[in-house]
């Protein structure tokens, strides 16, 4: 700033300064691709870091986490099964850039619907925020999944 005021501004031109902030808490809905399908008695979940050019979440300090929940419900809306994946740099399970990760979970025979939730918990918070949610109905044929 000193060199940009008169009279030194005549000798030094103004320079554009870039924004080097890293907004840790801003993982958007479109940054991570999440898909799920029911196939051959299992729910298959695929997750991919499409946009953020490093592992997600990332941290040198603290322990930010992404949580992937797979919840199975019966016809009455009761939870009959639950699976969880944790993506965290401290556990060396953070999502790499560009690589698709696929998970397969067997379905309980009483299951009629599946809910897939992706949540983010920053290192400085105990609260989780929802990034994506997918709900699927399980189609059965003659009592089979």
């Amino acid at each position: 700033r000193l060199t940009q005021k008169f009279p030194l501004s005549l000798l030094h031109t103004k320079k554009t300064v870039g924004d080097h902030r890293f907004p840790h808490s801003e993982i958007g809905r479109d940054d991570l691709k999440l898909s799920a399908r029911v196939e051959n008695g299992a729910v298959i979940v695929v997750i991919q870091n499409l946009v953020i050019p490093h592992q997600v979440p990332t941290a040198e300090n603290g322990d930010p986490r992404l949580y992937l929940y797979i919840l199975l419900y019966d016809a009455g809306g009761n939870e009959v099964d639950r699976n969880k994946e944790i993506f965290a740099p401290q556990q060396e399970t953070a999502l790499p850039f560009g690589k698709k990760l696929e998970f397969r979970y067997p379905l309980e025979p009483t299951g009629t619907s599946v809910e897939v939730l992706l949540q983010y918990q920053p290192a400085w918070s105990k609260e989780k925020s929802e990034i994506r949610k997918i709900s699927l109905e399980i189609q059965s044929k003659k009592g089979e999944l």
Side-chain angles (χ1 to χ4, degrees):
R1 290 186 178 189
L2 293 176
T3 62
Q4 293 179 355
K5 291 186 178 180
F6 185 80
L8 294 176
S9 63
L10 298 173
L11 301 172
H12 299 280
T13 59
K14 288 186 178 183
K15 293 182 181 178
T16 304
V17 177
D19 184 356
H20 296 284
R21 292 179 295 160
F22 184 75
H24 296 284
S25 64
E26 297 177 16
I27 296 177
R29 177 178 170 84
D30 297 328
D31 295 339
L32 304 175
K33 180 180 180 183
L34 181 68
S35 63
R37 67 186 186 279
V38 175
E39 184 178 280
N40 298 325
V43 60
I44 297 142
V45 178
V46 178
I47 187 167
Q48 184 178 13
N49 171 8
L50 292 173
V51 176
I52 304 167
H54 54 77
Q55 293 186 333
V56 175
T58 189
E60 290 183 16
N61 297 311
D63 192 18
R65 294 174 174 217
L66 281 171
Y67 291 90
L68 178 65
Y69 294 99
I70 297 83
L71 310 169
L72 181 65
Y73 298 97
D74 65 13
N78 302 306
E79 186 178 304
V80 294
D81 196 15
R82 168 184 287 248
N83 292 284
K84 175 173 71 171
E85 301 292 337
I86 298 174
F87 306 100
Q90 304 300 344
Q91 297 177 359
E92 298 182 3
T93 58
L95 295 173
F97 175 65
K99 183 178 178 184
K100 281 185 185 180
L101 299 179
E102 183 174 293
F103 301 92
R104 178 181 290 270
Y105 307 96
L107 295 172
E108 294 291 323
T110 58
T112 60
S113 65
V114 175
E115 192 171 76
V116 179
L117 296 170
L118 182 62
Q119 298 178 334
Y120 175 57
Q121 180 182 9
W124 58 87
S125 175
K126 292 186 181 190
E127 301 297 319
K128 298 174 190 170
S129 61
E130 185 176 293
I131 296 175
R132 300 285 304 269
K133 179 179 179 180
I134 299 173
S135 298
L136 300 170
E137 295 297 320
I138 299 171
Q139 303 294 326
S140 64
K141 295 179 183 178
K142 299 180 183 178
E144 296 178 0
L145 293 176

